[in-house]
Every structure is written in structure tokens, then in C-alpha cells.
Amino acid sequence: MGQALLHVAAQQPKLQAIGWQRRDHDITVPDIARAVAQLGPDLVINTAAYTQVDKAEAEPDVAYAANTLGPKYLAEGCRACGAPLVHISTNEVFAGTLGYFYREYDQPQAGGVYARSKLAGEVAVRQIWDRLYTVRVAWLFGRGTGDFPAKILQAAAGRDVLKVVADEFGNPTYAPHVATAIFELVNSERFGTYHLVNEGWTSRFEWTQYLFEQIACSTRLEAITAAEWPRAVTPPPHAVLVNQAAAALDIRLPTWQAAVREYVESGVLTRTGGK
């Protein structure tokens, strides 16, 4: 997400974007608030997070440090210098009840440690600072290394059959599309909570099926249930987000199918060995 934001910002001559790396600016250290205040930026976008959902069950302190305390410190720094803050959150703050579609102000109900730490981060920044855009995304992809499409293609390599979960649903969301939408949102100066996801929703299985069609992958897919794929924590089965608030401002993302096609056409899979 950070890379996508820097790429979009570089295309806008009026913007000077600075990307902070963890080795130099660790958001889990309280002094990050002073560093933000001293820099005095016009805008801060927080894309830092602990995203290892299963591993978080064994490392709750690490997850909460990055996903809750870190955003809190950034909000303190933003408050000190008056900079608006864009905080990236996740669809996993919702329970994911089957058949339910979640709008921006529906009541969250987080499950595992990762989800609870992300929800706590939303609460923390909201308590500190009101010049805030909370942006929830879902099933984010775009780098071509650690994202779902690249991983699923690596898993398919050399196999005749690949098993993929068919009863978990969400919004595949392309990072470059989110980045563009974030800058449109900031230009609106309408603070609040937003769901910036590609239009439409699907299952992990159907997403994989569509991806394989685009690249002519010959591996045969077999649909399985989430119960047949044991994990340390069960993800929400139907945490499908609805973009209503941003759409009211005429900010919409393309369909997830168009996003997959653009992702494939970008060549990122070839460059990273995923194809």
C-alpha cells in the first residue's frame, strides 16, 4: 500500500511525498509522535501494520504495538502539528456474518488478535485526533510477492490440482486503485470512515479461478471449505465491505475483475516469479 501511494504521489507535481521506513522510523516507539510533529507534514498516511493474521495469536503484544499503539503515537504527532491523518484498517474488524454486507458505520465485532488489534487502532486514533480518515480495505493485493495472487500461483507451481477455500467471501482490492482513491478522498476534506474496495465481491476460490483464466494457468482447482483448511484463527467468512460513504462523494473503484486484469497486465507476476 505504501509503495502504491508513493507511486501515485510521484505522478502529481504538486505533491512531495516522503516514505518512512521502519528501520529509521518505528511507529511502535512513542518518540515517533515527536518526529511527526517536528517534520510538520501537510498529511500523514499510515500504512504500517502487523498483518500476520495467524502468527498474531502467538504474538499479541507485537500485534497491538504495531496496530494499536503505533497509530496512537502517529495521531499524537498529527495533533501536535495539525496534520490530517489517513489510517488504513481492515474488513476483519467485522464478524463476517454470512449474507451480511458491511457499511462504514455498522458495528464492528472483531474476532482474533489481529482483528482486535486493528479495531483497537481505529478506536485509539479516533480518541486522539478528529482530522482523520479511517480507510478500511479488504483482501489487498498489488505487490506481487506476499499478496494472495502471487502466493496462490506459487502454490500451484508444479501441481495438477490445487485446493482453495470456497466459503470465505470478501472484496479483492488492488492497492494502486486504493491509493488513487485515498488522494481523491483527502482532496474532498470530508473526514470520517470509508470503505475503499474494488466494486463487487467474491470467494477465494472464484478469485483464484478468475486469475487462472487471465494467465491461462492449467492447474485444476478443487473447492474446499474453510473447515478443511485449519488455521490458528478463523477469518470472518463474509466480511464483505460496501463503499457507500466514498461513493456519495463520487469516489468509486473499478470492479475487482478489472483490478485483476490490470494487475496481470502490469507484469508484476512475471517480475516476481509468480507466473
Side-chain angles (χ1 to χ4, degrees), residues 13-43:
K14 293 183 179 180
L15 290 179
Q16 180 185 3
I18 301 172
W20 277 4
Q21 301 293 326
R22 180 182 179 184
R23 62 177 178 269
D24 301 315
H25 299 91
D26 187 342
I27 68 167
T28 68
V29 177
D31 277 351
I32 194 71
R34 182 181 300 117
V36 170
Q38 289 176 345
L39 180 64
D42 297 315
L43 174 71

Side-chain angles (χ1 to χ4, degrees), residues 10 38 46 130 136 148 152 159 164 216 225 258 274:
Q38 289 176 345
N46 176 34
D130 58 359
R136 296 187 184 123
F148 179 77
I152 207 73
R159 296 188 183 183
V164 183
T225 66

Side-chain angles (χ1 to χ4, degrees), residues 36 41 53 62 75 92 109 120 128 152 179 204 243 254:
V36 170
V53 177
V62 180
E92 293 208 18
Q109 186 179 349
I128 297 293
I152 207 73
R204 293 280 186 185
N243 168 13

